[in-house]
Amino acid sequence: MAALRGWVLRNLGSFFRQSVPVGAKWRRCRFSDLVGPWHKTVAVGFGVTLCAVPIAQKSETHSLSNEALMRRAISMVTDSTSTFLSQTTYALIEAITEYTRAVYTLVSLYRQYTSLHGKMNSQEEDAVWQVIIGARVEMSSKQEEYLKLETTWMTAVSLSEMAAEAAYQSGADQASVNARNHIQLVKTQIQEVRQLSQTAETKLAEAQTEELRLKCSEKSEEGISPQRPGPGGSLLVNHEEEAYLRED
């Protein structure tokens, strides 16, 4: 029994002497394995934070600079004035077009009247003149409307020109160029429409002149009294004709 107990104790001591270094080595390995990834994780996270913060601050500072804010504001102003100019230009073109149509309507009536001169009785002639008078009133109304819109359009042009100059002074070159190009475009469009209305007004003046010539000729024929020799062998002229000629 004593011999058996001694053999057991010797075997247990040998077992513990062999096992302790293995356990210590295992603990050292596990600790190094745990420490390595932790340092790497902290280093990566800290680096990302350092890289992100300065870039965001620099971008925000640049976008909120005084010069950038001024250019952004003046670009909005040029866009607004260009929109206002476009709307007034459209309204003015439509008003001038309506006026031009009214003028051509009156020209047509005058020409019909002169072509039927001497072929109508008094009632028919009065009816035609009532239509002509109505056309004159319509033309005058259209003219007043487009002249009022023309004043607004000129104001819109002035605002756009000032906005373009302000954009140039602020360094917003593209906004300034766009505004000036738009101003030039609408001016060309209005000039073309005005030329059409001026052509209509010229034709109206010609038709009115022809109508007036017919009236003068008719009054001259009606105002001459029967030919009879006056003193010195001259022909006597009706006093009404003399008064009409003095008015002319």
Side-chain angles (χ1 to χ4, degrees):
M1 249 343 251
L4 180 60
R5 184 179 298 173
W7 181 83
V8 171
L9 291 174
R10 284 194 300 271
N11 286 334
L12 288 174
S14 177
F15 175 78
F16 281 112
R17 283 194 299 269
Q18 293 176 1
S19 300
V20 169
V22 175
K25 185 178 179 181
W26 177 82
R27 288 194 295 270
R28 287 196 296 270
C29 292
R30 295 297 297 173
F31 181 76
S32 62
D33 292 340
L34 291 174
V35 171
W38 181 82
H39 280 292
K40 292 180 181 179
T41 304
V42 173
V44 171
F46 188 68
V48 171
T49 304
L50 290 178
C51 293
V53 172
I55 292 175
Q57 289 179 349
K58 183 177 181 181
S59 176
E60 184 179 0
T61 302
H62 177 71
S63 63
L64 295 179
S65 63
N66 291 330
E67 292 78 7
L69 290 174
M70 289 173 61
R71 286 193 294 270
R72 184 183 303 175
I74 195 62
S75 296
M76 295 176 62
V77 171
T78 54
D79 290 342
S80 298
T81 55
S82 295
T83 301
F84 178 50
L85 181 58
S86 297
Q87 293 297 327
T88 54
T89 300
Y90 175 78
L92 180 58
I93 289 175
E94 186 176 3
I96 295 177
T97 302
E98 292 295 327
Y99 166 72
T100 304
R101 290 174 181 171
V103 173
Y104 274 115
T105 299
L106 191 56
V107 170
S108 177
L109 291 173
Y110 271 118
R111 287 178 176 175
Q112 290 179 11
Y113 174 78
T114 55
S115 64
L116 295 175
H117 183 71
K119 301 177 183 179
M120 299 181 293
N121 55 38
S122 59
Q123 293 181 349
E124 293 173 342
E125 188 172 353
D126 289 342
V128 172
W129 270 107
Q130 290 299 321
V131 176
I132 290 176
I133 291 172
R136 283 178 178 174
V137 173
E138 181 70 15
M139 184 193 69
S140 298
S141 176
K142 297 296 183 182
Q143 187 178 30
E144 291 178 0
E145 181 179 353
Y146 102 74
L147 289 175
K148 184 184 299 183
L149 286 172
E150 189 175 45
T151 302
T152 305
W153 179 79
M154 293 175 65
T155 302
V157 171
S158 299
L159 289 174
S160 294
E161 289 175 345
M162 288 189 292
E165 180 62 23
Y168 175 77
Q169 296 295 335
S170 301
D173 296 337
Q174 189 61 44
S176 178
V177 171
N178 292 340
R180 294 187 186 278
N181 289 340
H182 185 246
I183 293 170
Q184 186 61 39
L185 175 63
V186 298
K187 282 184 176 180
T188 301
Q189 293 175 341
I190 294 299
Q191 182 62 31
E192 292 175 354
V193 177
R194 281 175 176 169
Q195 289 178 353
L196 295 177
S197 66
Q198 289 173 358
T199 300
E201 290 172 348
T202 301
K203 294 183 180 297
L204 177 60
E206 294 173 354
Q208 289 176 331
T209 301
E210 179 65 19
E211 186 268 336
L212 182 61
R213 187 188 65 80
L214 289 176
K215 277 189 174 182
C216 292
S217 176
E218 181 181 5
K219 287 184 177 181
S220 297
E221 292 176 357
E222 292 178 354
I224 298 177
S225 60
Q227 296 182 0
R228 57 186 179 87
S234 60
L235 297 177
L236 296 180
V237 182
N238 192 307
H239 294 291
E240 294 182 359
E241 181 183 2
E242 292 179 356
Y244 177 78
L245 293 176
R246 283 196 298 272
E247 292 178 359
D248 292 342

